[in-house]
Amino acid sequence: MPINVKYSSKEKSEKFLDQLKITMEDPIALVPQCLHEGMLCPFVQYRKKIYSMVQANKLDRYAGSADQFLSGVSETYKVISSGSVPILGTIHTPFGNLEYSKRGNTDEVVLAGVQNSQNETFRMLAFSSLVKSRGVRIYSSKTRFLATCKDDAPDIDFFEEILNEHSIPCTKHDIIEIGNSESYMDLIFLSKVTVRIHDDYRQNIIPIISKHILVRNPELDFTISCNILSQISDEVPMEIRMQYLSGKADTRTIIDGTRTFRKKKALSMKYFIIGDSVYKTAEEFLMAVENVNYDPMKINGIIENLTEGLELETPSFRKLLEMLWKEHRDEIISIYYPESSPEERRKLSGDPLSQLNQLGSIKDEIEVDNSISVSAWSPDAEFLLELIKIHRKRGSDEASRYAERNLTNSIRKSIYIAYLSVTGDSKKRGWMFSPEQSELALRLAGPLKSIISGNAEQMKEGMEELKKYGV
């Protein structure tokens, strides 16, 4: 911690002395309550020694002692006894600056901790030397000052208290929970207290907890787990953990980093991923992929022979095709359209799904042509057959456009209005036709309906029927 030394004004000196006098009114309060007060507990020993100092009125007894805390207590007493503080040292910490006055060889940080005991964060520094040398842990909140000389943690209420102190909304049951979204990380202290932080709460709480806990190795005392893709691994890599424990990353960054790490591991294991769902077989994966026109299961053989897994953000067949297309284009086309010719394949354009759809349209048009086995016996019958083909291939709008370009006589107009009545569009265009044409259309509508929607035999019968009306 950076340290500066400077002269202090008379007013500041007197204020600092008053602060030290308050501290030394009850020096035993400088010592935290240990969670394990055994015979060899250093905090029990400190209480006894300070009590002895007070009883003997010899608070300077440990001035120059090798024990930094006791030395700091005695040195603070000597500062009070001197009656002046001409020079103050300042230590710069992540939690603010703290001042101290030195009259001996006590470690400055320890001394500053003793002399700033009214501050719930800085008072822990009085035991910073003991934390480093013996691995004790210090815990401080507004209402509690605790320590442990063993690997132990205060109860969960302590953590709830410090979070409430910093206005962090949380709930407490067996664990403490912050936020409520689906993805979360668990910050676990000494395997005893769990703070579950959901990714809708972005703030890193380590800087807040660090104001209330002084330990030698935070990276060992705190562990992080994450529920995301836990079926793949429970590992959170050290570099990701350290980003959080050093206060450099927020909750979502840790969860996203863990997600990326575990997905990469899943793909190397030849698993398949959609969003945050993992599928261990190609069959399970393809069953989850959605498409109404193409059965994804047909490319199961391709997926099974991949050297690593695949990841989709959503169950999109289009995206799956895009991932496979460069290496497996002809194979995929052959699976869905084995009858397609090399020339048809060369003419394809657009994204992979569009190319399949183009082949589908070609196939549909061929099937439509093959389904019409009757032949035209007149130019008007040829007009009718072309109208039916376009309707079956591309729908009523395209068929109507064709018809309106070719309404060259009264028979064709009657055929067209009959077509419109069958498809339900006659009200939109009824004004285009004469009463005579509409009357003939009524007689044509029945046979035309069989031609439009019937099978080959019904179509043949319908065409024969139309001959009676001069088509």
Side-chain angles (χ1 to χ4, degrees), residues 132-155:
K132 292 177 183 177
S133 63
R134 295 185 56 176
V136 303
R137 296 174 176 84
I138 312 297
Y139 310 106
S140 178
S141 69
K142 282 185 176 179
T143 62
R144 290 193 277 183
F145 190 28
L146 305 171
T148 176
C149 46
K150 297 182 179 180
D151 293 339
D152 205 356
D155 59 38

PDB file of all heavy atoms in Angstrom, residues 132-155:
ATOM      1  N   LYS A 132      -0.964 -12.519   7.488  1.00  0.00           N
ATOM      2  CA  LYS A 132       0.104 -12.967   6.591  1.00  0.00           C
ATOM      3  C   LYS A 132       0.912 -14.114   7.183  1.00  0.00           C
ATOM      4  O   LYS A 132       1.242 -15.072   6.494  1.00  0.00           O
ATOM      5  CB  LYS A 132       1.032 -11.791   6.281  1.00  0.00           C
ATOM      6  CG  LYS A 132       0.405 -10.696   5.452  1.00  0.00           C
ATOM      7  CD  LYS A 132       1.380  -9.537   5.270  1.00  0.00           C
ATOM      8  CE  LYS A 132       0.743  -8.393   4.504  1.00  0.00           C
ATOM      9  NZ  LYS A 132       1.664  -7.228   4.393  1.00  0.00           N
ATOM     10  N   SER A 133       1.237 -14.008   8.475  1.00  0.00           N
ATOM     11  CA  SER A 133       2.159 -14.986   9.068  1.00  0.00           C
ATOM     12  C   SER A 133       1.463 -16.279   9.507  1.00  0.00           C
ATOM     13  O   SER A 133       2.036 -17.362   9.407  1.00  0.00           O
ATOM     14  CB  SER A 133       2.884 -14.354  10.264  1.00  0.00           C
ATOM     15  OG  SER A 133       1.953 -14.004  11.280  1.00  0.00           O
ATOM     16  N   ARG A 134       0.233 -16.173   9.982  1.00  0.00           N
ATOM     17  CA  ARG A 134      -0.424 -17.354  10.533  1.00  0.00           C
ATOM     18  C   ARG A 134      -1.718 -17.745   9.827  1.00  0.00           C
ATOM     19  O   ARG A 134      -2.345 -18.745  10.169  1.00  0.00           O
ATOM     20  CB  ARG A 134      -0.699 -17.140  12.018  1.00  0.00           C
ATOM     21  CG  ARG A 134       0.580 -17.014  12.856  1.00  0.00           C
ATOM     22  CD  ARG A 134       0.308 -16.917  14.333  1.00  0.00           C
ATOM     23  NE  ARG A 134      -0.480 -18.034  14.854  1.00  0.00           N
ATOM     24  CZ  ARG A 134      -0.775 -18.195  16.144  1.00  0.00           C
ATOM     25  NH1 ARG A 134      -0.320 -17.314  17.036  1.00  0.00           N
ATOM     26  NH2 ARG A 134      -1.509 -19.207  16.554  1.00  0.00           N
ATOM     27  N   GLY A 135      -2.113 -16.959   8.845  1.00  0.00           N
ATOM     28  CA  GLY A 135      -3.286 -17.322   8.061  1.00  0.00           C
ATOM     29  C   GLY A 135      -4.609 -17.156   8.785  1.00  0.00           C
ATOM     30  O   GLY A 135      -5.606 -17.799   8.407  1.00  0.00           O
ATOM     31  N   VAL A 136      -4.653 -16.333   9.829  1.00  0.00           N
ATOM     32  CA  VAL A 136      -5.939 -16.085  10.489  1.00  0.00           C
ATOM     33  C   VAL A 136      -6.830 -15.291   9.537  1.00  0.00           C
ATOM     34  O   VAL A 136      -6.368 -14.706   8.560  1.00  0.00           O
ATOM     35  CB  VAL A 136      -5.756 -15.319  11.815  1.00  0.00           C
ATOM     36  CG1 VAL A 136      -4.826 -16.064  12.743  1.00  0.00           C
ATOM     37  CG2 VAL A 136      -5.255 -13.899  11.566  1.00  0.00           C
ATOM     38  N   ARG A 137      -8.108 -15.255   9.834  1.00  0.00           N
ATOM     39  CA  ARG A 137      -9.060 -14.519   9.009  1.00  0.00           C
ATOM     40  C   ARG A 137      -9.831 -13.566   9.900  1.00  0.00           C
ATOM     41  O   ARG A 137     -10.238 -13.925  11.010  1.00  0.00           O
ATOM     42  CB  ARG A 137     -10.010 -15.487   8.304  1.00  0.00           C
ATOM     43  CG  ARG A 137      -9.300 -16.417   7.314  1.00  0.00           C
ATOM     44  CD  ARG A 137     -10.256 -17.455   6.756  1.00  0.00           C
ATOM     45  NE  ARG A 137      -9.620 -18.295   5.743  1.00  0.00           N
ATOM     46  CZ  ARG A 137      -8.890 -19.378   6.010  1.00  0.00           C
ATOM     47  NH1 ARG A 137      -8.704 -19.761   7.277  1.00  0.00           N
ATOM     48  NH2 ARG A 137      -8.346 -20.076   5.034  1.00  0.00           N
ATOM     49  N   ILE A 138     -10.079 -12.355   9.379  1.00  0.00           N
ATOM     50  CA  ILE A 138     -10.764 -11.314  10.137  1.00  0.00           C
ATOM     51  C   ILE A 138     -12.044 -10.939   9.399  1.00  0.00           C
ATOM     52  O   ILE A 138     -12.050 -10.793   8.167  1.00  0.00           O
ATOM     53  CB  ILE A 138      -9.879 -10.058  10.287  1.00  0.00           C
ATOM     54  CG1 ILE A 138      -8.466 -10.439  10.747  1.00  0.00           C
ATOM     55  CG2 ILE A 138     -10.521  -9.085  11.266  1.00  0.00           C
ATOM     56  CD1 ILE A 138      -8.402 -11.086  12.112  1.00  0.00           C
ATOM     57  N   TYR A 139     -13.134 -10.772  10.146  1.00  0.00           N
ATOM     58  CA  TYR A 139     -14.436 -10.425   9.572  1.00  0.00           C
ATOM     59  C   TYR A 139     -15.000  -9.228  10.334  1.00  0.00           C
ATOM     60  O   TYR A 139     -15.012  -9.218  11.568  1.00  0.00           O
ATOM     61  CB  TYR A 139     -15.405 -11.591   9.689  1.00  0.00           C
ATOM     62  CG  TYR A 139     -14.841 -12.903   9.181  1.00  0.00           C
ATOM     63  CD1 TYR A 139     -14.456 -13.918  10.063  1.00  0.00           C
ATOM     64  CD2 TYR A 139     -14.683 -13.130   7.818  1.00  0.00           C
ATOM     65  CE1 TYR A 139     -13.941 -15.117   9.598  1.00  0.00           C
ATOM     66  CE2 TYR A 139     -14.171 -14.332   7.341  1.00  0.00           C
ATOM     67  CZ  TYR A 139     -13.800 -15.322   8.237  1.00  0.00           C
ATOM     68  OH  TYR A 139     -13.281 -16.506   7.777  1.00  0.00           O
ATOM     69  N   SER A 140     -15.478  -8.231   9.593  1.00  0.00           N
ATOM     70  CA  SER A 140     -15.941  -7.008  10.254  1.00  0.00           C
ATOM     71  C   SER A 140     -17.179  -6.457   9.559  1.00  0.00           C
ATOM     72  O   SER A 140     -17.215  -6.314   8.340  1.00  0.00           O
ATOM     73  CB  SER A 140     -14.816  -5.959  10.223  1.00  0.00           C
ATOM     74  OG  SER A 140     -15.245  -4.757  10.805  1.00  0.00           O
ATOM     75  N   SER A 141     -18.190  -6.159  10.370  1.00  0.00           N
ATOM     76  CA  SER A 141     -19.393  -5.493   9.866  1.00  0.00           C
ATOM     77  C   SER A 141     -19.775  -4.412  10.863  1.00  0.00           C
ATOM     78  O   SER A 141     -19.065  -4.176  11.845  1.00  0.00           O
ATOM     79  CB  SER A 141     -20.530  -6.500   9.691  1.00  0.00           C
ATOM     80  OG  SER A 141     -20.976  -6.966  10.959  1.00  0.00           O
ATOM     81  N   LYS A 142     -20.907  -3.779  10.651  1.00  0.00           N
ATOM     82  CA  LYS A 142     -21.321  -2.720  11.574  1.00  0.00           C
ATOM     83  C   LYS A 142     -21.566  -3.246  12.982  1.00  0.00           C
ATOM     84  O   LYS A 142     -21.329  -2.559  13.970  1.00  0.00           O
ATOM     85  CB  LYS A 142     -22.584  -2.035  11.049  1.00  0.00           C
ATOM     86  CG  LYS A 142     -22.318  -1.036   9.932  1.00  0.00           C
ATOM     87  CD  LYS A 142     -23.590  -0.298   9.547  1.00  0.00           C
ATOM     88  CE  LYS A 142     -23.294   0.758   8.492  1.00  0.00           C
ATOM     89  NZ  LYS A 142     -24.520   1.487   8.083  1.00  0.00           N
ATOM     90  N   THR A 143     -22.063  -4.481  13.068  1.00  0.00           N
ATOM     91  CA  THR A 143     -22.467  -5.004  14.371  1.00  0.00           C
ATOM     92  C   THR A 143     -21.546  -6.097  14.906  1.00  0.00           C
ATOM     93  O   THR A 143     -21.654  -6.462  16.072  1.00  0.00           O
ATOM     94  CB  THR A 143     -23.893  -5.574  14.309  1.00  0.00           C
ATOM     95  OG1 THR A 143     -23.927  -6.675  13.387  1.00  0.00           O
ATOM     96  CG2 THR A 143     -24.877  -4.506  13.843  1.00  0.00           C
ATOM     97  N   ARG A 144     -20.654  -6.612  14.043  1.00  0.00           N
ATOM     98  CA  ARG A 144     -19.817  -7.725  14.495  1.00  0.00           C
ATOM     99  C   ARG A 144     -18.369  -7.549  14.056  1.00  0.00           C
ATOM    100  O   ARG A 144     -18.090  -7.070  12.957  1.00  0.00           O
ATOM    101  CB  ARG A 144     -20.364  -9.045  13.946  1.00  0.00           C
ATOM    102  CG  ARG A 144     -21.679  -9.438  14.574  1.00  0.00           C
ATOM    103  CD  ARG A 144     -22.041 -10.877  14.245  1.00  0.00           C
ATOM    104  NE  ARG A 144     -22.672 -11.003  12.946  1.00  0.00           N
ATOM    105  CZ  ARG A 144     -23.138 -12.154  12.460  1.00  0.00           C
ATOM    106  NH1 ARG A 144     -23.003 -13.271  13.160  1.00  0.00           N
ATOM    107  NH2 ARG A 144     -23.714 -12.202  11.282  1.00  0.00           N
ATOM    108  N   PHE A 145     -17.465  -7.967  14.971  1.00  0.00           N
ATOM    109  CA  PHE A 145     -16.028  -7.971  14.691  1.00  0.00           C
ATOM    110  C   PHE A 145     -15.534  -9.357  15.099  1.00  0.00           C
ATOM    111  O   PHE A 145     -15.467  -9.683  16.286  1.00  0.00           O
ATOM    112  CB  PHE A 145     -15.338  -6.869  15.500  1.00  0.00           C
ATOM    113  CG  PHE A 145     -13.905  -6.623  15.108  1.00  0.00           C
ATOM    114  CD1 PHE A 145     -13.456  -6.875  13.820  1.00  0.00           C
ATOM    115  CD2 PHE A 145     -13.002  -6.118  16.029  1.00  0.00           C
ATOM    116  CE1 PHE A 145     -12.130  -6.638  13.465  1.00  0.00           C
ATOM    117  CE2 PHE A 145     -11.683  -5.880  15.683  1.00  0.00           C
ATOM    118  CZ  PHE A 145     -11.255  -6.136  14.388  1.00  0.00           C
ATOM    119  N   LEU A 146     -15.250 -10.183  14.088  1.00  0.00           N
ATOM    120  CA  LEU A 146     -14.975 -11.592  14.316  1.00  0.00           C
ATOM    121  C   LEU A 146     -13.631 -11.990  13.730  1.00  0.00           C
ATOM    122  O   LEU A 146     -13.067 -11.293  12.885  1.00  0.00           O
ATOM    123  CB  LEU A 146     -16.075 -12.452  13.676  1.00  0.00           C
ATOM    124  CG  LEU A 146     -17.510 -12.146  14.077  1.00  0.00           C
ATOM    125  CD1 LEU A 146     -18.482 -12.921  13.185  1.00  0.00           C
ATOM    126  CD2 LEU A 146     -17.730 -12.492  15.549  1.00  0.00           C
ATOM    127  N   ALA A 147     -13.128 -13.126  14.211  1.00  0.00           N
ATOM    128  CA  ALA A 147     -11.889 -13.684  13.675  1.00  0.00           C
ATOM    129  C   ALA A 147     -11.939 -15.195  13.804  1.00  0.00           C
ATOM    130  O   ALA A 147     -12.794 -15.756  14.498  1.00  0.00           O
ATOM    131  CB  ALA A 147     -10.687 -13.127  14.448  1.00  0.00           C
ATOM    132  N   THR A 148     -11.051 -15.849  13.096  1.00  0.00           N
ATOM    133  CA  THR A 148     -10.891 -17.286  13.254  1.00  0.00           C
ATOM    134  C   THR A 148      -9.441 -17.658  13.022  1.00  0.00           C
ATOM    135  O   THR A 148      -8.795 -17.116  12.116  1.00  0.00           O
ATOM    136  CB  THR A 148     -11.797 -18.070  12.291  1.00  0.00           C
ATOM    137  OG1 THR A 148     -11.535 -19.462  12.423  1.00  0.00           O
ATOM    138  CG2 THR A 148     -11.565 -17.672  10.853  1.00  0.00           C
ATOM    139  N   CYS A 149      -8.922 -18.532  13.865  1.00  0.00           N
ATOM    140  CA  CYS A 149      -7.560 -19.011  13.684  1.00  0.00           C
ATOM    141  C   CYS A 149      -7.572 -20.394  13.050  1.00  0.00           C
ATOM    142  O   CYS A 149      -6.556 -21.071  12.975  1.00  0.00           O
ATOM    143  CB  CYS A 149      -6.806 -19.026  15.015  1.00  0.00           C
ATOM    144  SG  CYS A 149      -7.738 -19.734  16.388  1.00  0.00           S
ATOM    145  N   LYS A 150      -8.781 -20.812  12.578  1.00  0.00           N
ATOM    146  CA  LYS A 150      -8.928 -22.060  11.846  1.00  0.00           C
ATOM    147  C   LYS A 150      -9.647 -21.761  10.529  1.00  0.00           C
ATOM    148  O   LYS A 150     -10.077 -20.638  10.287  1.00  0.00           O
ATOM    149  CB  LYS A 150      -9.720 -23.081  12.670  1.00  0.00           C
ATOM    150  CG  LYS A 150      -9.037 -23.481  13.963  1.00  0.00           C
ATOM    151  CD  LYS A 150      -9.849 -24.534  14.711  1.00  0.00           C
ATOM    152  CE  LYS A 150      -9.143 -24.936  16.001  1.00  0.00           C
ATOM    153  NZ  LYS A 150      -9.918 -25.969  16.746  1.00  0.00           N
ATOM    154  N   ASP A 151      -9.782 -22.777   9.697  1.00  0.00           N
ATOM    155  CA  ASP A 151     -10.460 -22.577   8.413  1.00  0.00           C
ATOM    156  C   ASP A 151     -11.969 -22.576   8.631  1.00  0.00           C
ATOM    157  O   ASP A 151     -12.652 -23.576   8.411  1.00  0.00           O
ATOM    158  CB  ASP A 151     -10.075 -23.685   7.425  1.00  0.00           C
ATOM    159  CG  ASP A 151      -8.625 -23.612   7.021  1.00  0.00           C
ATOM    160  OD1 ASP A 151      -8.033 -22.522   7.164  1.00  0.00           O
ATOM    161  OD2 ASP A 151      -8.083 -24.638   6.587  1.00  0.00           O
ATOM    162  N   ASP A 152     -12.480 -21.432   9.047  1.00  0.00           N
ATOM    163  CA  ASP A 152     -13.902 -21.363   9.330  1.00  0.00           C
ATOM    164  C   ASP A 152     -14.440 -20.010   8.894  1.00  0.00           C
ATOM    165  O   ASP A 152     -13.696 -19.035   8.735  1.00  0.00           O
ATOM    166  CB  ASP A 152     -14.181 -21.592  10.812  1.00  0.00           C
ATOM    167  CG  ASP A 152     -15.594 -22.116  11.053  1.00  0.00           C
ATOM    168  OD1 ASP A 152     -16.356 -22.215  10.074  1.00  0.00           O
ATOM    169  OD2 ASP A 152     -15.920 -22.413  12.217  1.00  0.00           O
ATOM    170  N   ALA A 153     -15.744 -19.955   8.712  1.00  0.00           N
ATOM    171  CA  ALA A 153     -16.418 -18.745   8.247  1.00  0.00           C
ATOM    172  C   ALA A 153     -17.501 -18.359   9.236  1.00  0.00           C
ATOM    173  O   ALA A 153     -18.051 -19.213   9.938  1.00  0.00           O
ATOM    174  CB  ALA A 153     -17.036 -18.993   6.875  1.00  0.00           C
ATOM    175  N   PRO A 154     -17.838 -17.076   9.305  1.00  0.00           N
ATOM    176  CA  PRO A 154     -18.988 -16.686  10.125  1.00  0.00           C
ATOM    177  C   PRO A 154     -20.264 -17.231   9.501  1.00  0.00           C
ATOM    178  O   PRO A 154     -20.269 -17.715   8.370  1.00  0.00           O
ATOM    179  CB  PRO A 154     -18.947 -15.153  10.058  1.00  0.00           C
ATOM    180  CG  PRO A 154     -18.199 -14.836   8.820  1.00  0.00           C
ATOM    181  CD  PRO A 154     -17.215 -15.939   8.624  1.00  0.00           C
ATOM    182  N   ASP A 155     -21.360 -17.165  10.236  1.00  0.00           N
ATOM    183  CA  ASP A 155     -22.603 -17.716   9.711  1.00  0.00           C
ATOM    184  C   ASP A 155     -23.109 -16.883   8.535  1.00  0.00           C
ATOM    185  O   ASP A 155     -22.617 -15.783   8.252  1.00  0.00           O
ATOM    186  CB  ASP A 155     -23.657 -17.814  10.811  1.00  0.00           C
ATOM    187  CG  ASP A 155     -23.964 -16.464  11.447  1.00  0.00           C
ATOM    188  OD1 ASP A 155     -24.002 -15.450  10.721  1.00  0.00           O
ATOM    189  OD2 ASP A 155     -24.165 -16.425  12.677  1.00  0.00           O
TER     190      ASP A 155
END
